[in-house]
C-alpha cells in the first residue's frame, strides 16, 4: 500500500456517508502527489498527509430564526477551519439546501491548495448552512443571517478566520452578516470579505472569480501555443456571479460566449449572450432564465427536465472553450465526450469541482487543456485577500489597480502550475501541477512551524 492509499484508508474509517465529495477531492489530490511523496521522504516523516486531510476544527450549530409568517424555522450552520499554516483561515460561506459537513470538508480542503497557489498569506476554510435564500424575503434573509452570526462570531476574526461569499451568499447576505458581527462585537473590522464597497469592500470583488478564470485560460492557451480568445466560441454554465463575469471578460477579450444556464434550464443564443439581459434577470430580479427569450426570441431555452440525459444542455453546443461555472459534478463523462467530439480545446473550471472524475479522464486522454478549479477560480479569493489588505491599512485601491494585480496573480499562478508540471515530468497536466505546487507551499510551512 503506498502513502496515499494509507491516508485514504484512514479517512474512510473515520468519515461518514456524506463525505463522498471529500473523498473524491482527497483521492484526486493524493494521486497527483505520489511523485513528490516518493521523491521527498520529509513529508512522510512529518505525517503531512494525515495532518493536511484532517481539519484543524469543525463547528456545527443550530440556527433558529423567524419567518415572515411568524413561524420559527431551524437550520444547521457549519464552519470548517481546515488549515492555517500560511495565514488566517479563509474561504466562503455557502447557503444552499444541499450543504452538509461532507461538502464543506471537500470545499475547505480544496481551499487550502487554492489559497496556497495564489502565493498570498491565507489559510483554508469553508462554511455555510442548509438554509435556502431562494424565495425568501429580504427581511427573512436578514433574520437568518443575524441568527447565523450569533454563533459564527465566536469563531472568526480578521486575524483568525475571514469568511466570504459563495453559492447563495452575495453582497446582500455579507452585508447582513457584517452588520450583525459589528453589533455583537462593537468592532468595525475586516472580518468578512465580499462586502459592498461603501463599507469596506474591494472594487472588483464581484468580477474577480470570473475575470480571473478567463485570465488564467488566456495564459494557458498561450503556453500551449494557441492564440488567445479572439473569435473563439465559448460555452458557459451557470448564471450567477462566476458565470456572468466569465461571460463579461470573454467579451472583453474578443470571444463569443453563447450559453448560460441556471438550475431550471439552459439558454443558447448563437449571436452571443446578451449580458445586460442576463444581469437584469439574475442579479436584479433573481428570476428564471426562461425570461431571456422574452426579449431574444431567436435564443433557445431548454428546461432541465426536457434535456434527455439530465444535467446540462450547455455541453452539447459546439465550442472552442468551455467554462463550467455552476456547481459540483455538473459536467459528466458523457458531456466530456460530446465536448471532445465537437472540437473543444480547453475546459476551465469556474465552479468548484464541476467535472466528474470520469469527465476529467476523458479530457486527459484527449489532450484537452484542462484548468482545475483550485487554480482557475482562485481570482475570487485573491481579491478577497486584497480586500483584507485594504481593510487592514484603511486604504482603497482603484479599479485599475485591483484588475492589474488580479491579472498578474492569475497569470503567475498559471505559470507556476505550468512549470511545476513540467518539472515533475507531466507537462501540460494542470491538475498535477496545481496539486503539487499548492501542496509544497503549505507542507513546507507546516514543517517549518513544527507540530
Ligand atoms: P451563484 O449562487 O451566484 O450562482 C450559481 C449559479 O449556478 C446559479 O445560476 C444557479 O442557478 C446555478 N446552479 C446551481 N446549481 C445548479 C445545477 N445543479 N444545475 C444548473 N445550474 C445550477 O454562485 P457563484 O456563481 O458564486 O458560484 C458558482 C460556483 O463557483 C460554485 O461552485 C462556487 O463554489 C464557485 N466559486 C465561487 C466563487 C465566487 O467568488 N463567487 C469563488 C470560487 C469558486 P439558480 O439561479 O437557478 O439558482
Amino acid at each position: 500500500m503506498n502513502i496515499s492509499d494509507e491516508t485514504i484508508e484512514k479517512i474512510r474509517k473515520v468519515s461518514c456517508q456524506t463525505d463522498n465529495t471529500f473523498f473524491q477531492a482527497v483521492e484526486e489530490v493524493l494521486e497527483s502527489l505520489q511523485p513528490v511523496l516518493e521523491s521527498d521522504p520529509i513529508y512522510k516523516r512529518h505525517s503531512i498527509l494525515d495532518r493536511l486531510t484532517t481539519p484543524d476544527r469543525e463547528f456545527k450549530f443550530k440556527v433558529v430564526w423567524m419567518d415572515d409568517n411568524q413561524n420559527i424555522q431551524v437550520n444547521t450552520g457549519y464552519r470548517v477551519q481546515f488549515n492555517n499554516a500560511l495565514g488566517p483561515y479563509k474561504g466562503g460561506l455557502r447557503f444552499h439546501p444541499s450543504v452538509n459537513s461532507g461538502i464543506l470538508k471537500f470545499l475547505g480542503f480544496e481551499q487550502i491548495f487554492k489559497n496556497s497557489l495564489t502565493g498570498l498569506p491565507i489559510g483554508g476554510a469553508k462554511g455555510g448552512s442548509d438554509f435556502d435564500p431562494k424565495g425568501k424575503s429580504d427581511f427573512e434573509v436578514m433574520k437568518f443571517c443575524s441568527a447565523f452570526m450569533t454563533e459564527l462570531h465566536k469563531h472568526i476574526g480578521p486575524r483568525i478566520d475571514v469568511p466570504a461569499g459563495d453559492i447563495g451568499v452575495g453582497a446582500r447576505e455579507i452585508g447582513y452578516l457584517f452588520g450583525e458581527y459589528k453589533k455583537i462585537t462593537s468592532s468595525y473590522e475586516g472580518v468578512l470579505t465580499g462586502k459592498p464597497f461603501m463599507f469596506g469592500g474591494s472594487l472588483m470583488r464581484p468580477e474577480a472569480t470570473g475575470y480571473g478564470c478567463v485570465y488564467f485560460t488566456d495564459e494557458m492557451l498561450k503556453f500551449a501555443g494557441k492564440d488567445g480568445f479572439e473569435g473563439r466560441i465559448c460555452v458557459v454554465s451557470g448564471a450567477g456571479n462566476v458565470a456572468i463575469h466569465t461571460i463579461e471578460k470573454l467579451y472583453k477579450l474578443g470571444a463569443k460566449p453563447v450559453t448560460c444556464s441556471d438550475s431550471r434550464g439552459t439558454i443558447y443564443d448563437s449571436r452571443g449572450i446578451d449580458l445586460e439581459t442576463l444581469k437584469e434577470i439574475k442579479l436584479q430580479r433573481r428570476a428564471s432564465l426562461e425570461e431571456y427569450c422574452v426579449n431574444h426570441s431567436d435564443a433557445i431555452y431548454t428546461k432541465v427536465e426536457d434535456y434527455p440525459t439530465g444535467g446540462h444542455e450547455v455541453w452539447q453546443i459546439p465550442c472552442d472553450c468551455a467554462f463550467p461555472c455552476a456547481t459540483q459534478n455538473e459536467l459528466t463523462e458523457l458531456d466530456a465526450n460530446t465536448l471532445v467530439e465537437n472540437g473543444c480545446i480547453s475546459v476551465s473550471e469556474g465552479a468548484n469541482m464541476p467535472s466528474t472524475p470520469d469527465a476529467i479522464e476523458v479530457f486527459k486522454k484527449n489532450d484537452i487543456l484542462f484548468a482545475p478549479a483550485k487554480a482557475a477560480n482562485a481570482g475570487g479569493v485573491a481579491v478577497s485577500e486584497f480586500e483584507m489588505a485594504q481593510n487592514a491599512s484603511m486604504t482603497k485601491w482603484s479599479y485599475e489597480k485591483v484588475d492589474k494585480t488580479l491579472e498578474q496573480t492569475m497569470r503567475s499562478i498559471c505559470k507556476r502550475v505550468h512549470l511545476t508540471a513540467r518539472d515533475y515530468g507531466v507537462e501540460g497536466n494542470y491538475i498535477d501541477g496545481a496539486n503539487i505546487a499548492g501542496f509544497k507551499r503549505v507542507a513546507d510551512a507546516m514543517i517549518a512551524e513544527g507540530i
Side-chain angles (χ1 to χ4, degrees):
M1 199 184 264
N2 65 32
I3 308 167
S4 316
D5 291 342
E6 279 172 32
T7 307
I8 290 277
E9 208 41 49
K10 277 188 206 161
I11 298 172
R12 271 191 209 288
K13 273 192 196 136
V14 295
S15 299
C16 59
Q17 246 189 338
T18 56
D19 284 356
N20 282 343
T21 39
F22 176 55
F23 291 143
Q24 190 180 324
V26 171
E27 266 173 328
E28 184 227 89
V29 169
L30 297 196
E31 201 183 305
S32 299
L33 295 184
Q34 209 50 45
V36 189
L37 301 170
E38 278 164 12
S39 65
D40 202 340
I42 193 169
Y43 299 120
K44 164 105 173 138
R45 208 161 52 241
H46 286 262
S47 296
I48 291 296
L49 283 194
D50 286 354
R51 291 163 60 195
L52 198 58
T53 52
T54 309
D56 289 348
R57 60 195 72 79
E58 293 176 73
F59 305 104
K60 181 174 179 187
F61 49 92
K62 184 170 67 175
V63 186
V64 185
W65 57 282
M66 193 174 280
D67 68 20
D68 288 346
N69 298 319
Q70 314 288 307
N71 295 317
I72 293 173
Q73 302 287 344
V74 183
N75 287 97
T76 305
Y78 306 86
R79 186 71 180 164
V80 184
Q81 295 179 336
F82 228 112
N83 186 293
N84 66 351
L86 293 173
Y89 300 106
K90 181 95 198 83
L93 296 171
R94 177 176 289 192
F95 291 169
H96 192 269
S98 65
V99 163
N100 58 44
S101 60
I103 286 183
L104 295 177
K105 265 171 81 178
F106 133 61
L107 292 166
F109 180 70
E110 289 277 299
Q111 197 79 42
I112 305 171
F113 294 82
K114 184 183 306 186
N115 294 2
S116 167
L117 278 173
T118 63
L120 299 167
I122 36 181
K126 202 78 190 186
S129 172
D130 57 357
F131 170 74
D132 188 357
K134 230 182 251 176
K136 306 287 192 300
S137 68
D138 282 354
F139 193 72
E140 288 175 321
V141 171
M142 185 181 75
K143 289 293 235 185
F144 173 80
C145 288
S146 299
F148 183 83
M149 189 50 88
T150 310
E151 178 62 30
L152 187 71
H153 87 276
K154 297 172 191 164
H155 312 296
I156 61 177
R159 300 209 176 257
I160 301 170
D161 181 353
V162 185
D166 189 64
I167 292 179
V169 179
R172 173 183 62 168
E173 289 76 14
I174 292 288
Y176 294 145
L177 290 163
F178 182 73
E180 187 64 24
Y181 180 87
K182 197 163 57 70
K183 196 164 78 191
I184 297 170
T185 62
S186 303
S187 166
Y188 199 105
E189 52 192 3
V191 72
L192 290 152
T193 58
K195 299 184 288 299
F197 183 67
M198 64 187 142
F199 51 90
S202 176
L203 287 172
M204 258 200 77
R205 176 58 187 89
E207 295 91 330
T209 307
Y211 279 25
C213 186
V214 178
Y215 287 139
F216 185 99
T217 309
D218 189 51
E219 193 71 9
M220 181 172 74
L221 289 172
K222 285 183 187 154
F223 274 125
K226 322 242 181 219
D227 287 337
F229 278 112
E230 194 59 47
R232 294 210 186 272
I233 303 292
C234 299
V235 295
V236 179
S237 66
N241 176 292
V242 180
I244 286 174
H245 296 107
T246 296
I247 291 172
E248 188 165 84
K249 183 50 84 177
L250 283 170
Y251 274 127
K252 288 186 182 171
L253 297 192
K256 182 156 83 162
V258 293
T259 64
C260 58
S261 65
D262 65 13
S263 50
R264 285 168 276 191
T266 295
I267 288 289
Y268 170 47
D269 188 339
S270 60
R271 291 163 313 169
I273 293 294
D274 181 341
L275 202 52
E276 289 319 306
T277 305
L278 175 60
K279 284 185 177 179
E280 195 268 323
I281 295 171
K282 297 309 285 190
L283 296 183
Q284 287 170 29
R285 290 193 290 115
R286 299 170 200 261
S288 165
L289 270 184
E290 192 165 8
E291 296 187 21
Y292 184 96
C293 296
V294 174
N295 294 326
H296 301 276
S297 51
D298 291 352
I300 300 166
Y301 178 73
T302 312
K303 282 187 188 161
V304 169
E305 56 266 33
D306 294 343
Y307 176 56
T309 58
H312 273 282
E313 156 85 5
V314 169
W315 319 121
Q316 301 300 306
I317 309 297
C319 68
D320 300 304
C321 306
F323 292 85
C325 297
T327 192
Q328 65 263 15
N329 291 325
E330 56 161 308
L331 197 164
T332 63
E333 182 182 10
L334 197 77
D335 300 324
N337 279 316
T338 310
L339 284 169
V340 172
E341 279 159 27
N342 285 339
C344 173
I345 59 167
S346 76
V347 177
S348 304
E349 296 191 317
N352 282 316
M353 210 164 79
S355 317
T356 63
D358 292 340
I360 293 173
E361 278 311 309
V362 173
F363 297 140
K364 278 186 186 162
K365 265 191 213 133
N366 290 280
D367 290 329
I368 303 294
L369 289 168
F370 179 76
K374 58 173 75 71
N377 72 25
V381 77
V383 173
S384 279
E385 198 276 347
F386 305 164
E387 183 174 331
M388 288 163 72
Q390 292 171 74
N391 291 167
S393 59
M394 307 279 271
T395 54
K396 286 275 184 202
W397 294 9
S398 67
Y399 188 94
E400 290 69 29
K401 178 171 175 174
V402 181
D403 192 22
K404 192 93 218 123
T405 319
L406 171 68
E407 181 171 358
Q408 282 164 353
T409 305
M410 295 312 295
R411 292 193 190 277
S412 86
I413 294 175
C414 187
K415 188 172 177 190
R416 196 171 314 137
V417 169
H418 178 79
L419 294 180
T420 305
R422 197 193 60 188
D423 290 349
Y424 280 85
V426 283
E427 185 160 356
N429 184 334
Y430 282 73
I431 299 177
D432 288 354
N435 286 335
I436 295 171
F439 170 79
K440 286 186 79 165
R441 188 166 171 250
V442 185
D444 292 346
M446 288 168 73
I447 292 168
E449 289 170 13
I451 54 171

